[in-house]
Amino acid sequence: MNFNLTEEQQMLQDSLRRFLSNEYTFEKRGQIIHSGKGVDETTWRAFADMGLLGFTFPEENDGLGGNAIDTMLVMDSFGRALVVEPYLSTVVLCGGLIRDAGSDSQKAAILPAIAAGEHLMAFAHSEPGSRYNLSQVVTTAEKTGDGYVLNGRKTAVLHGSQANQLIVSARSHGDIADPEGVSLFLVDRNANGLTVRDFATHDGHRTAELTLDNVQLNHDALIGEQEKALPLIEKATDLAIAALCSEAVGAMEALNEATLEYLKTRKQFGVPIGKFQVLQHRMADMFIATEEAKSMAILAASEADSDDREERRRALSMAKALVGQSARKVGQDAVQLHGGMGVTDEMLAAHLFKRLTLINLLFGDADYHLGQVSDQLLAATA
Amino acid sequence: MDLNYTPEQDQFREEVRKFLADNLPDDIRQRVKQRLRPTKEMTQRWQQILFKRGWAASAWPQQFGGPGWDAIEQLIFEEECAVAGAPRQLDFGLRMVAPVIMTFGNEEQKERFLPGILSGEDWWCQGYSEPGAGSDLASLRTTAKHEGDHYVVNGQKTWTTLGQHADWIFCLVRTSSEGKPQQGISFLLIDMKTPGISVRPIIMLDGEHEINEVYFDNVKVPVENLVGEENKGWTYAKFLLGHERTGLANVGQWKALMNRLKELARESRDGQRPLIENVRFRDRLAQLDMELRALELTVLRVLTNESGPGPQASILKIRGTEVGQALFELLMEAMGPDAIAHIPDALDLGYEGPRVGAADAAPAAGDYFNMRKLSIFGGSNEIQRNIIAQMVLGL
């Protein structure tokens, strides 16, 4: 039991934070968001040079053999700087899936390309109406002589349009929410029959809606075992949840720093507003909420790689629920303490608030995950 | 970073568990499991058992008779004790005055006072608060006048927990009215049998006698009972409060309560179904389970911090007491209408009269009322927020 970073981890965190504060400024980020592409190639290449894009891949695939704790460090720093590049989609979700379930040839083809910064990917699983229910998949995969044909719709595909390749879930067996019968497929961005509609998100990221209309795939597009993908999807989701928890903690810490600075400099009635006890206590509560969220983000990162499904999912749900509640509190209070300035688009605080709000809506919000913890209590008594 | 316990820590936990299974007397365990207050005799008997094993003071260094455990081992020990149903050890001696004597006392004081605290023979209570000095502790008015080889103490202390049992009281007294209020305070150790001391009970809202008023009327205290330097008591007082706060997170006790809540949820009925199937109740249980996990990890983070807990201990006091209060509240609500009957005799040793509901329904509402104290004592949670705002955030 220890909470210390290794020397290498500490060095990585320091250099990443230095890079982001020098190169990834608020103004620069604004330009990236408003560019047509929505992601910055130079920044992405710099991440590749730092080794971040292959951090959690095996060494034989040009990776560094890291784990979810390493992802935590990266995401925490990204949260502080509000990085909008597709790290979650490409490295955590799709990279994680290929690493954990891909064939040797899939790993060899994809992981080094991601690590080198040459390949962007997106995970297309959610569908209209499925909300956070992972087993609900209506999109169909029909088996043919030489492969599969996919039909259906996907929603909330983070950075779907920016990706060169997607991982798409589809069902070839069972009812729409049957845990069995779902498979994962590699689909090229320019595949015939695939329509991708790109949207900006409120927090400067990108999302896409997908339509799959008779998309034809070869046998080798299948990832892992046919019709047994749900455990893989759960695992990838848990890796994403852990990453988002850390990103949220980084954003909350940055938000607290910005708010504290504001409380110390903004004057009303002749004194800095931070002298008012009613605001001090609110700030103290934001600080406490962030520390508790940090504890749970560490728990999430520690459990995310575990193969003990029950224990892992319980820990991840507890973490996502508590981080969601804390982020809502810290975000709303930070805007309130900034007063009128807090509701303008010029303030960093407003952008941190927006990111925190959207993180809660991804991969299960606080209510959903509290419900998961609650249902596990019931299951444990059965 | 690794949240797993090491094999040595797991082994240590097993050792503690086995010791508790073999040595915690049944009568004490049963009483604590029903959340009834252990008698003075029980608390002292348990302290003696721990003393013989060398585990009487989990936080003390070896040179003073402690086991020399690190922060994790202390937490494991406390958690196992609480979950097994061991009585809470008395903080006033072990966690409050002892660290002050170890750090600021002279050799003679260490030799004279520490052994009695360790063995549990000496029962200590705390003389900090006064009727006019609660959160504003430094405004205290009890005076100690230096006259030859002793001080003459006059004044009143209040909220003195378990003072009715005490052999000794550690007091903050005013030895000077010069300068700022903090500057004229001294730290005195006073024998409760000294002529001029009288103790009067205060009945708390649960109907129980837990706290007292202590009056000092020309009480003569030998000068060798002054800890450290005269007029430097405020420094020692703050040091003590820091130690008290880290003990207030109470994770082990809250885990024991959570276990009982889960058991109750399975066993009690809500109409035709078990209570656990009531989704509104279960969601609140889940919320608390999650908050308790976050508290536990935050305690571990703060207490294993190499630079010491410092003002961050205020987080533990606030969250520890908030989680505890919420647990007692949910426990009462889990009992439901079984909690409304007030049967004071049912809290006494050997009660065999009529009851309502489960054996531990009797203390449920009283505990809920009583535990409102948690967010008030040890520096109210509002004072803790001031400390965070000023000492941590620099506001």
Side-chain angles (χ1 to χ4, degrees), chain A residues 1-6 9 69 72-73 260 263-264 274-275 277 279-285 287-288 290-296 298-300 302-303 311 314 317-319 321-322 325 370-371 373-378 380-381, chain B residues 1-6 9 72 262 265-266 276-277 279 282-291 293-295 297-302 304 306 312 314-315 318-319 322-323 381-386 388-390 392-395:
Chain A
M1 173 82 63
N2 78 80
F3 295 89
N4 307 321
L5 298 180
T6 63
Q9 287 171 332
I69 299 280
M72 173 176 88
L73 301 180
L260 200 52
L263 290 184
K264 287 175 180 173
K275 290 291 166 203
Q277 196 177 40
L279 303 189
Q280 290 182 351
H281 283 198
R282 213 152 166 167
M283 191 72 231
D285 284 335
F287 173 73
I288 294 171
T290 303
E291 287 301 315
E292 292 211 307
K294 190 171 190 168
S295 298
M296 292 307 260
I298 292 170
L299 174 70
S302 305
E303 290 284 339
E311 192 53 38
R314 185 176 131 82
S317 280
M318 276 194 176
L322 190 128
Q325 291 177 1
L370 188 65
V373 177
S374 178
D375 289 350
Q376 275 209 351
L377 282 176
L378 182 65
T381 66
Chain B
M1 189 157 322
D2 184 1
L3 294 199
N4 294 307
Y5 289 101
T6 63
Q9 287 164 342
I72 305 272
K262 288 178 180 170
R266 284 196 300 273
I276 190 82
E277 289 180 19
V279 73
R282 196 171 72 235
D283 283 354
R284 287 176 65 196
L285 192 60
Q287 173 78 29
L288 278 179
D289 209 10
M290 172 183 81
E291 289 182 20
R293 190 81 173 104
L295 175 68
L297 289 166
T298 307
V299 168
L300 285 163
R301 277 178 55 218
V302 171
T304 55
E306 279 155 14
Q312 305 243 355
S314 291
I315 301 177
I318 293 173
R319 288 302 295 149
E322 286 176 349
V323 168
N381 287 12
E382 288 70 28
I383 289 289
Q384 306 300 335
R385 287 184 172 87
N386 288 349
I388 292 172
Q390 287 154 23
V392 182
L393 304 175
L395 286 173

Side-chain angles (χ1 to χ4, degrees), chain B residues 103-378:
Chain B
T103 313
F104 304 106
N106 58 37
E107 289 311 309
E108 197 222 321
Q109 288 168 335
K110 289 175 197 168
E111 278 171 35
R112 182 169 163 214
F113 292 108
L114 296 179
I117 295 173
L118 198 62
S119 69
E121 276 161 58
D122 291 338
W123 189 288
W124 282 80
C125 66
Q126 180 182 32
Y128 268 32
S129 296
E130 298 185 3
S135 291
D136 181 13
L137 185 57
S139 70
L140 59 91
R141 288 158 64 178
T142 295
T143 56
K145 221 169 141 194
H146 196 152
E147 289 182 3
D149 59 356
H150 57 261
Y151 290 95
V152 178
V153 178
N154 278 288
Q156 184 192 347
K157 294 290 175 183
T158 192
W159 317 132
T160 314
T161 303
L162 302 179
Q164 70 267 38
H165 301 317
D167 304 298
W168 287 87
I169 184 168
F170 55 91
C171 279
L172 293 182
V173 292
R174 183 157 300 290
T175 38
S176 164
S177 51
E178 312 263 306
K180 288 204 297 182
Q182 286 83 353
Q183 285 166 357
I185 292 171
S186 298
F187 196 101
L188 274 187
L189 310 177
I190 304 177
D191 187 337
M192 289 292 279
K193 290 183 291 291
T194 319
I197 296 181
S198 51
V199 179
R200 287 187 210 156
I202 300 173
I203 302 304
M204 282 179 73
L205 76 178
D206 58 353
E208 295 298 297
H209 174 199
E210 185 180 35
I211 51 179
N212 302 273
E213 294 175 298
V214 181
Y215 294 85
F216 299 86
D217 180 15
N218 287 319
V219 175
K220 288 170 78 170
V221 180
V223 287
E224 56 263 33
N225 288 13
L226 173 78
V227 176
E229 289 176 53
E230 198 174 275
N231 298 331
K232 293 279 170 67
W234 187 247
T235 309
Y236 319 144
K238 282 195 299 185
F239 171 84
L240 180 152
L241 288 171
H243 273 259
E244 181 185 11
R245 262 160 225 154
T246 54
L248 291 174
N250 264 342
V251 171
Q253 285 199 320
W254 302 159
K255 278 193 173 178
L257 273 183
M258 176 53 75
N259 290 346
R260 177 60 181 141
L261 262 169
K262 288 178 180 170
E263 193 177 72
L264 267 176
R266 284 196 300 273
E267 289 170 2
S268 24
R269 306 294 297 177
D270 177 31
Q272 299 301 306
R273 60 184 180 182
L275 182 57
I276 190 82
E277 289 180 19
N278 178 328
V279 73
R280 278 165 297 280
F281 176 85
R282 196 171 72 235
D283 283 354
R284 287 176 65 196
L285 192 60
Q287 173 78 29
L288 278 179
D289 209 10
M290 172 183 81
E291 289 182 20
L292 181 52
R293 190 81 173 104
L295 175 68
E296 180 185 20
L297 289 166
T298 307
V299 168
L300 285 163
R301 277 178 55 218
V302 171
L303 294 189
T304 55
N305 188 343
E306 279 155 14
S307 52
Q312 305 243 355
S314 291
I315 301 177
L316 309 187
K317 200 276 170 170
I318 293 173
R319 288 302 295 149
T321 55
E322 286 176 349
V323 168
Q325 288 178 330
L327 282 164
F328 278 106
E329 185 173 6
L330 193 59
L331 197 74
M332 173 180 72
E333 292 179 27
M335 299 292 181
D338 289 350
I340 69 173
H342 183 213
I343 315 170
D345 291 350
L347 308 183
D348 291 340
L349 207 56
Y351 176 80
E352 285 177 357
R355 294 179 176 280
V356 179
D360 60 345
D367 281 349
Y368 163 73
F369 295 131
N370 179 288
M371 293 301 163
R372 300 319 297 171
K373 73 187 175 190
L374 296 182
S375 49
I376 298 167
F377 71 23

Side-chain angles (χ1 to χ4, degrees), chain A residues 1-4, chain B residues 1-18 55 69-80 300 303-304:
Chain A
M1 173 82 63
N2 78 80
F3 295 89
N4 307 321
Chain B
M1 189 157 322
D2 184 1
L3 294 199
N4 294 307
Y5 289 101
T6 63
E8 293 75 28
Q9 287 164 342
D10 283 333
Q11 199 184 337
F12 174 71
R13 188 185 290 276
E14 275 312 308
E15 192 187 345
V16 175
R17 215 171 261 185
K18 181 163 189 323
W55 291 355
W69 291 331
D70 64 22
I72 305 272
E73 287 165 327
Q74 291 173 40
L75 286 168
I76 290 173
F77 175 75
E78 282 152 27
E79 181 181 325
E80 288 303 320
L300 285 163
L303 294 189
T304 55

Side-chain angles (χ1 to χ4, degrees), chain A residues 67 84 121 233 265 333 338 356:
Chain A
N67 58 27
V84 297
M121 294 185 76
I233 293 166
T265 49
D333 282 4
H338 274 83
L356 286 171

